[in-house]
Amino acid sequence: QVQLVESGGGLVQPGGSLKLSCVASGFPFSARHMSWYRQAPGKERELVASILYDGTSTRYIDSVKGRFTISRDNAKNTVYLQMNSLESEDTAVYYCNRGGWGGAPYDAWGQGTQVTVSS
C-alpha cells in the first residue's frame, strides 16, 4: 500500500532554512509527479510545490517562489523541499503526495512534518 514518510521539520527563526524529505513506497514513484502540500491551523490543505516524474519541471505557488525548491531522487524514492527565507506564514504541517499536472493525491497521507517559524 501507499506509504509516505515525511521528516525534517522543526522550529526555525524567520529568515531561516529547513530541508524536508519524504520517502515514498507502495507505488511506482519514478512514474509519478509528486508534490508538497501544507496545512496551517484552521486552514485547508494547499498544494505548495510540484515536480514532474523525471524532475525536469517544477511548479510553485506564488507565495513560495524564489524561496522554496522541490527536488527528487528517484533512485531513493525520495522527494525534497528546500525552504529558505522562511516566514511566519510558512508555519504549517507539511505533507508529500502525488500531485501536479492534474494528478490527484493518493487517499493515504503520511503523518506530515511540523514546520514552525517563530522568533
Side-chain angles (χ1 to χ4, degrees):
Q1 69 276 24
V2 172
Q3 288 193 322
L4 301 157
V5 181
E6 300 92 350
S7 63
L11 173 63
V12 62
Q13 292 185 342
S17 298
L18 283 173
K19 186 173 184 177
L20 308 183
S21 300
C22 170
V23 179
S25 62
F27 64 96
F29 179 82
S30 62
R32 297 290 181 262
H33 311 324
M34 292 296 293
S35 292
W36 282 94
Y37 303 77
R38 68 185 180 188
Q39 187 166 20
K43 295 186 177 181
E44 292 189 356
R45 188 175 291 163
E46 66 173 345
L47 189 152
V48 175
S50 301
I51 186 165
L52 208 63
Y53 72 99
D54 60 358
T56 58
S57 184
T58 58
R59 291 178 175 174
Y60 303 89
I61 58 172
D62 287 345
S63 60
V64 307
K65 281 181 182 176
R67 301 189 298 120
F68 289 11
T69 302
I70 187 172
S71 61
R72 66 190 296 161
D73 185 339
N74 284 347
K76 296 182 178 179
N77 278 19
T78 302
V79 60
Y80 305 97
L81 187 67
Q82 176 68 48
M83 305 186 296
N84 299 328
S85 302
L86 282 161
E87 304 169 353
S88 57
E89 292 78 12
D90 297 318
T91 295
V93 180
Y94 284 72
Y95 305 86
C96 73
N97 207 321
R98 182 176 63 176
W101 292 272
Y106 292 109
D107 289 340
W109 292 83
Q111 82 288 351
T113 187
Q114 175 71 48
V115 172
T116 303
V117 185
S118 175
S119 56

